[in-house]
Amino acid sequence: MTFFRRVARLRVTIGFVSSIFVLWLAHPTARSLAIGAVVAAIGEAVRVWAAGHLEKGREVTRSGPYGLTRHPLYLGSSLIGIGLAIASASLVVAVLVLAYLAITLTAAIRTEEAHLTDKFGAAYPAYREGRGAVEQRGFSFARAMRNREYRAILGLLFVMVVLAWKART
């Protein structure tokens, strides 16, 4: 197993373990929490929008945000991470979050693109190059939930509550 595949597989576990250190090192203020929460909420909104247009593992889609960027879920995750770094009001946390995002998302994108090329053949390279049919699929919140986006929503809410508690103490 290559380094990238291993990191991509472990990114959620690494994220949970890292979040313990991030929350411990955070020094949120009311202002940093408010600004960070707005950025993170925008990131989660991007993720929900993307998940509501995607039939994971079944297709290559150019619907919704996939018509604008190849990896809107990762874009949303990046915005969430940046929002949490802002909310933490800690330079050490910001460095840890940015390093985590750079390493794990690079690994995930490389691994995912190889997998999608294997699975969908010429359809995925065509998508990467901006060719291929654009579906006119509407957004579906039920589809976003089927894609388990509720996990990211609950995780973000949990971290924000902990940071808010920490800001008050």
Side-chain angles (χ1 to χ4, degrees), residues 2-15:
T2 68
F3 170 77
F4 287 117
R5 185 181 285 158
R6 194 171 299 123
V7 170
R9 260 193 180 174
L10 294 173
R11 76 183 181 275
V12 174
T13 303
I14 294 167

Side-chain angles (χ1 to χ4, degrees), residues 26-144:
H27 302 291
T29 64
R31 185 170 190 262
S32 72
L33 192 59
I35 295 167
V38 168
V39 173
I42 291 168
E44 185 54 47
V46 169
R47 284 190 55 88
V48 169
W49 184 33
H53 280 273
L54 178 64
E55 292 292 343
K56 276 189 180 178
R58 295 185 188 157
E59 66 182 358
V60 176
T61 186
R62 289 186 59 207
S63 174
Y66 290 90
L68 304 172
T69 181
R70 288 196 323 240
H71 300 286
L73 288 167
Y74 297 144
L75 172 62
S77 294
S78 296
L79 290 170
I80 291 169
I82 291 165
L84 294 177
I86 293 167
S88 75
S90 166
L91 184 58
V92 173
V93 168
V95 169
L96 287 173
V97 167
L98 292 176
Y100 168 81
L101 289 170
I103 293 166
T104 61
L105 294 184
T106 298
I109 288 168
R110 285 187 177 194
T111 302
E112 183 178 296
E113 288 191 344
H115 169 74
L116 292 172
T117 299
D118 288 345
K119 184 170 186 169
F120 296 110
Y124 191 73
Y127 163 76
R128 276 195 336 243
E129 295 165 8
R131 297 181 288 116
V134 177
E135 305 89 26
Q136 296 304 319
R137 171 185 300 148
F139 170 81
S140 165
F141 189 74
R143 185 181 300 118

Side-chain angles (χ1 to χ4, degrees), residues 125-162:
Y127 163 76
R128 276 195 336 243
E129 295 165 8
R131 297 181 288 116
V134 177
E135 305 89 26
Q136 296 304 319
R137 171 185 300 148
F139 170 81
S140 165
F141 189 74
R143 185 181 300 118
M145 294 303 105
R146 277 196 314 273
N147 284 325
R148 300 183 300 198
E149 194 54 32
Y150 58 86
R151 290 178 173 181
I153 294 168
L154 292 174
L156 176 58
L157 289 174
F158 174 77
V159 169
M160 285 306 200
V161 166
V162 171

